Amino acid sequence: MPDAPFLAVEGLSAFYGTAQALEDVSFRMGKESVAIVGRNGMGKTTLCNAIMGISPPRARGSIRFEGSEIVGKPSSKIANLGVGYVPQGRRLFPSLSVDEHLRMIRGRSSGAPRTWDVRSIYELFPRLGERKRNGGAQLSGGEQQMLAIGRALLTNPKLLIMDEPSEGLAPAIIENMIEVFKTLEAEGLALLLIEQNLGVATSLATRQLIMVGGSIFTETTAEVLASDPDAQRRYLGVEPLAEHG
C-alpha cells in the first residue's frame, strides 16, 4: 500500500474493564515528528499502550502502521514491524547491568533508517559505556533514560514512540536529549512524542496534537501553541513559555 500513511489511528477507543480511557481517537502521521501533549490523566499513556499492543487496555478501532493493521497483534510482532517504544518511567531491570540490558535485545532489520548494535549505542551515549557494569537501579535519571532509548533503538525502529521522555530530568540533561532526538530525526527516524513538557514538545515537532479527556481535541503547530499563553494554561496547566524567558 504505497499511498498509505505511515501511521494511521482511526476511531480508536480503549477500555480498562468497563472504564473508557480513549474515545474515538483519530490522527495520521507521515515520517515527520509529531507531539501529543496534554495534562496528566488525559489518556496519553493509554494511547501508547494501545499502539504497542500492551495489555491492558482493551482496544477497539483501527491502528495501521505502513498499511498493516496492528490492533490485536502482540507487542513483539508490532516491534518487528519497526515500531520502537520508550515507556514512561523507563521500566529497567534493577538486577541487570547496562550492558546486559543492551545485549539482551535482538532487533530485526525492518527497513529502518539505521541498523543499531551495542557499540553504536555506546557511541551515541558515551556515558553508558562508562557505566556499562552498573545495574539499572544504580543509574541517575538521565542515565536511565539513555539506557531506555538505547534499548529501544536496538530494535531498529522506523517509528520511535516516547512517553514523557523528559520526566524527572534536569534541564541540562533535557537539552542533551533534545539534541540526540534531533540527530535521530535527521537520520530518518520518525518520532511520536508524548509529552507534558511543552518546551520539549515544541522543540522537536511542528505538529502538536492536544489530548483532552481521552480524545484528540485539536491540532495546532509548535509556533502557534508556544505563542498562545491561554491555550498553554487551559490544555496543559502550565505557565506560559514566554514567562520563563
Coordinates of all heavy atoms in Angstrom, one line a residue, residues 166-225:
S166 N 11.2 13.4 29.0 CA 11.8 14.4 29.8 C 11.5 14.3 31.3 O 12.0 15.1 32.1 CB 11.5 15.8 29.3 OG 10.2 16.2 29.5
E167 N 10.5 13.4 31.7 CA 10.0 13.4 33.0 C 11.1 13.2 34.1 O 11.9 12.2 34.0 CB 9.0 12.3 33.2 CG 8.3 12.2 34.5 CD 7.2 11.1 34.5 OE1 7.6 9.9 34.3 OE2 6.1 11.4 34.8
G168 N 11.2 14.1 35.1 CA 12.1 13.9 36.2 C 13.6 14.2 35.8 O 14.4 14.0 36.7
L169 N 13.8 14.8 34.7 CA 15.2 15.1 34.3 C 15.6 16.6 34.5 O 14.7 17.4 34.4 CB 15.5 14.7 32.8 CG 15.2 13.3 32.4 CD1 15.6 13.0 31.0 CD2 15.9 12.3 33.4
A170 N 16.8 16.8 34.8 CA 17.3 18.2 35.0 C 17.3 18.9 33.6 O 17.5 18.2 32.6 CB 18.7 18.1 35.6
P171 N 17.2 20.2 33.6 CA 17.2 21.0 32.4 C 18.4 20.7 31.5 O 18.2 20.6 30.2 CB 17.1 22.4 32.8 CG 16.4 22.4 34.2 CD 16.9 21.1 34.8
A172 N 19.6 20.6 32.0 CA 20.8 20.3 31.2 C 20.7 19.0 30.5 O 21.1 18.8 29.3 CB 22.0 20.4 32.0
I173 N 20.2 18.0 31.2 CA 20.0 16.6 30.6 C 18.9 16.7 29.5 O 19.1 16.1 28.5 CB 19.6 15.6 31.7 CG1 20.7 15.6 32.8 CG2 19.4 14.2 31.1 CD1 22.0 15.1 32.3
I174 N 17.9 17.4 29.8 CA 16.8 17.5 28.8 C 17.4 18.2 27.5 O 17.0 17.7 26.4 CB 15.6 18.4 29.3 CG1 14.9 17.6 30.4 CG2 14.6 18.7 28.2 CD1 13.8 18.4 31.1
E175 N 18.2 19.2 27.6 CA 18.8 19.8 26.4 C 19.6 18.8 25.6 O 19.6 18.8 24.4 CB 19.6 21.0 26.8 CG 18.8 22.2 27.3 CD 17.8 22.7 26.3 OE1 18.2 22.8 25.1 OE2 16.6 23.0 26.6
N176 N 20.4 18.0 26.3 CA 21.2 17.0 25.7 C 20.3 16.0 24.9 O 20.6 15.5 23.8 CB 22.1 16.3 26.7 CG 23.2 17.1 27.2 OD1 23.6 18.1 26.5 ND2 23.7 16.8 28.3
M177 N 19.2 15.6 25.6 CA 18.3 14.6 25.0 C 17.6 15.2 23.7 O 17.5 14.5 22.7 CB 17.2 14.2 26.0 CG 17.6 13.4 27.1 SD 18.1 11.7 26.6 CE 18.5 11.0 28.2
I178 N 17.3 16.5 23.8 CA 16.7 17.1 22.6 C 17.7 17.0 21.4 O 17.3 16.7 20.3 CB 16.3 18.6 22.9 CG1 15.1 18.6 23.8 CG2 16.0 19.3 21.6 CD1 14.7 20.0 24.3
E179 N 18.9 17.3 21.7 CA 19.9 17.2 20.6 C 20.0 15.8 20.0 O 20.2 15.6 18.8 CB 21.3 17.7 21.1 CG 21.3 19.2 21.4 CD 20.8 20.0 20.2 OE1 21.3 19.8 19.1 OE2 19.9 20.9 20.4
V180 N 20.0 14.8 20.9 CA 20.0 13.4 20.5 C 18.8 13.1 19.6 O 18.9 12.5 18.5 CB 20.1 12.4 21.7 CG1 19.8 11.0 21.2 CG2 21.4 12.5 22.4
F181 N 17.6 13.5 20.0 CA 16.4 13.3 19.2 C 16.5 14.0 17.9 O 16.0 13.4 16.9 CB 15.2 13.8 20.0 CG 14.9 13.0 21.3 CD1 14.3 13.7 22.4 CD2 15.3 11.7 21.5 CE1 14.1 13.0 23.6 CE2 15.1 11.1 22.7 CZ 14.5 11.7 23.7
K182 N 17.0 15.2 17.8 CA 17.2 15.9 16.6 C 18.1 15.1 15.6 O 17.9 15.0 14.4 CB 17.6 17.3 16.8 CG 16.6 18.2 17.4 CD 17.1 19.6 17.6 CE 16.0 20.5 18.1 NZ 16.5 21.9 18.3
T183 N 19.2 14.6 16.2 CA 20.1 13.8 15.4 C 19.4 12.5 14.8 O 19.6 12.2 13.6 CB 21.3 13.3 16.2 OG1 22.0 14.5 16.7 CG2 22.3 12.4 15.4
L184 N 18.6 11.8 15.6 CA 17.9 10.6 15.2 C 16.9 11.0 14.1 O 16.8 10.3 13.1 CB 17.2 10.0 16.4 CG 18.1 9.4 17.5 CD1 17.2 9.0 18.6 CD2 19.0 8.3 17.0
E185 N 16.2 12.1 14.3 CA 15.3 12.5 13.3 C 16.0 12.9 11.9 O 15.5 12.5 10.9 CB 14.5 13.7 13.8 CG 13.4 14.2 12.8 CD 12.7 15.4 13.3 OE1 13.3 16.2 14.0 OE2 11.5 15.6 12.9
A186 N 17.1 13.5 12.0 CA 17.9 13.9 10.8 C 18.3 12.6 10.1 O 18.5 12.7 8.8 CB 19.1 14.7 11.2
E187 N 18.5 11.5 10.8 CA 18.9 10.3 10.1 C 17.7 9.5 9.5 O 17.9 8.5 8.9 CB 19.5 9.3 11.2 CG 20.9 9.8 11.7 CD 21.5 9.0 12.7 OE1 20.7 8.1 13.3 OE2 22.7 9.2 13.1
G188 N 16.5 10.1 9.7 CA 15.3 9.5 9.1 C 14.4 8.7 10.0 O 13.4 8.1 9.6
L189 N 14.6 8.8 11.3 CA 13.7 8.1 12.3 C 12.6 9.0 12.6 O 12.7 10.2 13.0 CB 14.5 7.8 13.6 CG 13.8 7.1 14.7 CD1 13.3 5.7 14.2 CD2 14.6 7.0 15.9
A190 N 11.3 8.5 12.5 CA 10.1 9.3 12.8 C 9.9 9.2 14.3 O 10.1 8.1 14.9 CB 8.9 8.8 12.0
L191 N 9.5 10.3 14.9 CA 9.3 10.3 16.4 C 7.8 10.7 16.6 O 7.3 11.6 16.1 CB 10.2 11.4 17.0 CG 11.7 11.3 16.8 CD1 12.4 12.5 17.4 CD2 12.2 10.0 17.3
L192 N 7.2 9.9 17.5 CA 5.9 10.2 18.1 C 6.1 10.5 19.5 O 6.4 9.6 20.3 CB 4.9 9.1 17.9 CG 3.5 9.3 18.5 CD1 2.8 10.6 17.9 CD2 2.6 8.1 18.3
L193 N 6.1 11.7 19.9 CA 6.5 12.2 21.2 C 5.2 12.5 22.1 O 4.4 13.3 21.7 CB 7.3 13.5 21.1 CG 7.8 14.1 22.3 CD1 8.9 13.2 23.0 CD2 8.4 15.5 22.0
I194 N 5.2 11.8 23.2 CA 4.1 12.0 24.2 C 4.7 12.9 25.3 O 5.6 12.4 26.0 CB 3.5 10.7 24.8 CG1 3.3 9.7 23.7 CG2 2.3 11.0 25.6 CD1 2.2 10.2 22.6
E195 N 4.2 14.1 25.5 CA 4.9 15.0 26.4 C 4.0 15.9 27.2 O 2.9 16.3 26.6 CB 5.9 15.9 25.7 CG 7.4 15.4 25.8 CD 7.9 15.5 27.2 OE1 7.3 16.0 28.1 OE2 9.1 14.9 27.4
Q196 N 4.3 16.2 28.4 CA 3.7 17.3 29.1 C 4.6 18.5 29.2 O 4.1 19.6 29.5 CB 3.3 16.8 30.6 CG 2.3 17.7 31.3 CD 1.9 17.2 32.6 OE1 2.5 16.2 33.1 NE2 0.9 17.8 33.2
N197 N 5.9 18.3 28.9 CA 6.8 19.4 28.9 C 6.7 20.1 27.5 O 7.2 19.6 26.5 CB 8.2 18.9 29.1 CG 9.3 20.0 29.2 OD1 9.2 21.0 28.4 ND2 10.2 19.9 30.1
L198 N 6.1 21.3 27.5 CA 5.8 22.0 26.3 C 7.0 22.4 25.6 O 7.1 22.4 24.3 CB 4.9 23.2 26.6 CG 4.3 23.9 25.3 CD1 3.5 23.0 24.5 CD2 3.5 25.1 25.8
G199 N 8.1 22.8 26.3 CA 9.3 23.2 25.7 C 9.9 22.1 24.9 O 10.4 22.3 23.8
V200 N 9.9 20.9 25.4 CA 10.4 19.7 24.7 C 9.6 19.4 23.4 O 10.1 19.2 22.3 CB 10.5 18.5 25.6 CG1 10.9 17.2 24.8 CG2 11.5 18.7 26.7
A201 N 8.3 19.4 23.7 CA 7.3 19.1 22.6 C 7.5 20.0 21.4 O 7.6 19.6 20.2 CB 5.9 19.1 23.1
T202 N 7.5 21.3 21.7 CA 7.6 22.3 20.6 C 9.0 22.4 20.0 O 9.2 22.9 18.9 CB 7.2 23.7 21.1 OG1 8.0 24.1 22.2 CG2 5.7 23.7 21.5
S203 N 10.0 21.9 20.7 CA 11.4 21.9 20.1 C 11.6 20.8 19.1 O 12.4 20.9 18.2 CB 12.4 21.7 21.2 OG 12.5 22.8 22.1
L204 N 10.8 19.7 19.2 CA 11.0 18.5 18.4 C 10.0 18.3 17.3 O 10.2 17.5 16.4 CB 11.1 17.3 19.3 CG 12.3 17.2 20.2 CD1 12.2 16.1 21.2 CD2 13.6 17.1 19.4
A205 N 8.8 18.9 17.4 CA 7.8 18.6 16.5 C 7.0 19.8 16.1 O 6.6 20.6 17.0 CB 6.8 17.5 17.0
T206 N 6.8 20.0 14.8 CA 6.0 21.1 14.3 C 4.5 20.8 14.6 O 3.7 21.7 15.1 CB 6.2 21.4 12.8 OG1 7.5 21.8 12.6 CG2 5.3 22.5 12.3
R207 N 4.1 19.6 14.3 CA 2.7 19.2 14.6 C 2.4 18.9 16.0 O 3.2 18.1 16.6 CB 2.3 18.0 13.7 CG 2.1 18.2 12.2 CD 1.7 17.0 11.5 NE 0.3 16.6 12.0 CZ -0.2 15.3 11.8 NH1 0.6 14.4 11.2 NH2 -1.4 15.1 12.2
Q208 N 1.4 19.5 16.6 CA 1.1 19.4 18.0 C -0.4 18.9 18.1 O -1.3 19.7 17.7 CB 1.3 20.7 18.8 CG 2.7 21.2 18.7 CD 3.7 20.5 19.6 OE1 3.4 20.3 20.8 NE2 4.8 20.2 19.1
L209 N -0.6 17.7 18.6 CA -2.0 17.2 18.9 C -2.3 17.4 20.3 O -1.5 16.9 21.2 CB -2.1 15.8 18.4 CG -1.6 15.4 17.0 CD1 -1.8 13.9 16.7 CD2 -2.3 16.3 16.0
I210 N -3.3 18.1 20.7 CA -3.7 18.3 22.1 C -4.7 17.3 22.5 O -5.8 17.2 21.9 CB -4.2 19.7 22.3 CG1 -3.1 20.7 21.9 CG2 -4.7 19.9 23.7 CD1 -3.6 22.2 22.0
M211 N -4.4 16.5 23.6 CA -5.3 15.5 24.0 C -6.0 15.9 25.3 O -5.4 16.4 26.3 CB -4.5 14.2 24.3 CG -5.3 13.0 24.3 SD -4.2 11.5 24.2 CE -5.5 10.3 23.9
V212 N -7.4 15.8 25.3 CA -8.2 16.2 26.4 C -9.3 15.1 26.6 O -10.0 14.7 25.6 CB -8.9 17.5 26.1 CG1 -9.9 17.9 27.3 CG2 -7.9 18.7 25.9
G213 N -9.4 14.6 27.8 CA -10.4 13.6 28.1 C -10.5 12.4 27.3 O -11.5 11.9 26.9
G214 N -9.3 11.9 26.9 CA -9.2 10.6 26.1 C -9.4 10.8 24.6 O -9.6 9.8 23.9
S215 N -9.4 12.0 24.1 CA -9.7 12.3 22.7 C -8.6 13.3 22.2 O -8.1 14.1 23.0 CB -11.1 12.8 22.4 OG -12.0 11.9 22.9
I216 N -8.4 13.3 20.9 CA -7.6 14.4 20.3 C -8.6 15.6 20.2 O -9.5 15.6 19.3 CB -7.0 14.0 19.0 CG1 -6.1 12.8 19.1 CG2 -6.2 15.2 18.3 CD1 -4.9 12.9 20.0
F217 N -8.3 16.6 21.0 CA -9.2 17.8 21.0 C -9.0 18.7 19.8 O -10.0 19.2 19.2 CB -9.1 18.5 22.3 CG -9.9 19.8 22.4 CD1 -11.3 19.6 22.7 CD2 -9.4 21.0 22.2 CE1 -12.1 20.7 22.8 CE2 -10.2 22.2 22.3 CZ -11.6 22.0 22.6
T218 N -7.8 18.9 19.5 CA -7.5 19.8 18.4 C -6.0 19.6 17.9 O -5.2 19.0 18.6 CB -7.7 21.3 18.7 OG1 -7.6 22.1 17.5 CG2 -6.6 21.8 19.7
E219 N -5.7 20.0 16.7 CA -4.3 20.0 16.2 C -3.9 21.4 16.0 O -4.6 22.3 15.5 CB -4.2 19.2 14.9 CG -2.8 19.2 14.3 CD -2.6 18.3 13.1 OE1 -3.5 17.4 12.9 OE2 -1.6 18.5 12.4
T220 N -2.6 21.7 16.3 CA -2.1 23.0 16.1 C -0.6 22.9 15.8 O -0.1 21.7 15.4 CB -2.2 23.9 17.4 OG1 -1.8 25.2 17.1 CG2 -1.5 23.3 18.6
T221 N 0.2 23.9 15.7 CA 1.6 23.9 15.4 C 2.4 24.3 16.6 O 1.9 25.0 17.5 CB 1.9 24.8 14.2 OG1 1.7 26.1 14.6 CG2 1.1 24.4 13.0
A222 N 3.7 24.0 16.6 CA 4.5 24.4 17.7 C 4.6 25.9 17.9 O 4.5 26.4 19.0 CB 5.9 23.8 17.5
E223 N 4.6 26.6 16.7 CA 4.7 28.0 16.8 C 3.5 28.7 17.4 O 3.6 29.6 18.2 CB 4.9 28.6 15.3 CG 5.1 30.1 15.3 CD 5.3 30.6 13.9 OE1 5.3 29.8 12.9 OE2 5.6 31.8 13.7
V224 N 2.3 28.2 16.9 CA 1.1 28.7 17.5 C 0.9 28.4 18.9 O 0.5 29.3 19.7 CB -0.1 28.2 16.6 CG1 -1.5 28.6 17.3 CG2 -0.1 28.7 15.2
L225 N 1.2 27.2 19.3 CA 1.0 26.8 20.7 C 2.0 27.5 21.6 O 1.6 28.0 22.7 CB 1.2 25.3 20.9 CG 0.9 24.7 22.3 CD1 -0.5 25.0 22.7 CD2 1.1 23.2 22.2

